[in-house]
Amino acid sequence: MNMTPLPEMRDLAQRLFTYEVDADDASEPVGSTTVRVYEKLRQSLGELAGAAGFQSLASRALTLARSEVPSLSAARVAPDGNLQGMSAIEPPINVERDRVHEAGVILISRLLGLLLIFLGEALTMNLVRDVWPDAALDNGNSENEREKREHTR
């Protein structure tokens, strides 16, 4: 498996973070944004894959993300799928906050990448749209979006 997250999944993860920060209190710790995005995916995917299925995917995503962001070693996925330990990597200064944000984006992009592998693009994007119906998530590069544009010409 390619160790680098797909640029599309990284971009999607970044858009989810931006949406969550804009939709909520921006003064919250950056790690809590990661947990919020993660929890929304967990709730939705847990309905589809069950707690054990989600826990397995999330654990693998965390393992992959740790290879890029060693500070994620403080985080773990509990047996019920909860993400624990993100507060342990929360830094006190703004320069470090960018690294925590980056760690969260990488973790979520890894999770989205695994969903893409196992569910395919259409189901992954439907799942994400169900969780964030008001977010502008389409970048116009997906196969479905290209097909829609071709048919409208």
Side-chain angles (χ1 to χ4, degrees):
M1 178 192 295
N2 183 356
M3 293 303 290
T4 306
L6 295 171
E8 299 85 20
M9 293 301 100
R10 182 169 170 64
D11 182 56
L12 178 58
Q14 182 61 55
R15 285 182 277 160
L16 296 176
F17 271 68
T18 300
Y19 182 81
E20 284 297 321
V21 168
D22 290 348
D24 206 40
D25 182 7
S27 67
E28 279 192 359
V30 178
S32 67
T33 303
T34 300
V35 172
R36 238 182 6 258
V37 171
Y38 177 92
E39 280 300 311
K40 288 182 177 185
L41 287 170
R42 182 175 77 92
Q43 289 172 2
S44 183
L45 189 59
E47 294 173 11
L48 179 67
F54 180 82
Q55 193 273 346
S56 179
L57 279 175
S59 292
R60 180 66 182 146
L62 182 57
T63 298
L64 291 169
R66 282 182 185 142
S67 69
E68 292 176 70
V69 187
S71 64
L72 283 172
S73 64
R76 72 178 198 89
V77 178
D80 65 357
N82 280 320
L83 182 62
Q84 300 174 337
M86 286 302 291
S87 60
I89 65 168
E90 191 65 45
I93 56 176
N94 284 340
V95 173
E96 296 294 317
R97 286 177 57 86
D98 290 342
R99 290 190 190 145
V100 173
H101 175 83
E102 182 68 13
V105 168
I106 289 171
L107 173 60
I108 298 301
S109 69
R110 290 297 189 174
L111 183 54
L112 292 170
L114 289 173
L115 291 176
L116 185 69
I117 290 167
F118 291 111
L119 299 178
E121 181 181 10
L123 280 175
T124 298
M125 290 309 297
N126 283 341
L127 177 97
V128 171
R129 281 189 204 103
D130 285 348
V131 176
W132 290 276
D134 298 327
L137 300 176
D138 290 321
N139 62 8
N141 293 328
S142 74
E143 187 176 321
N144 292 340
E145 292 302 311
R146 285 192 300 271
E147 287 176 13
K148 288 178 188 174
R149 285 195 308 274
E150 291 297 319
H151 292 304
T152 58
R153 289 184 184 172

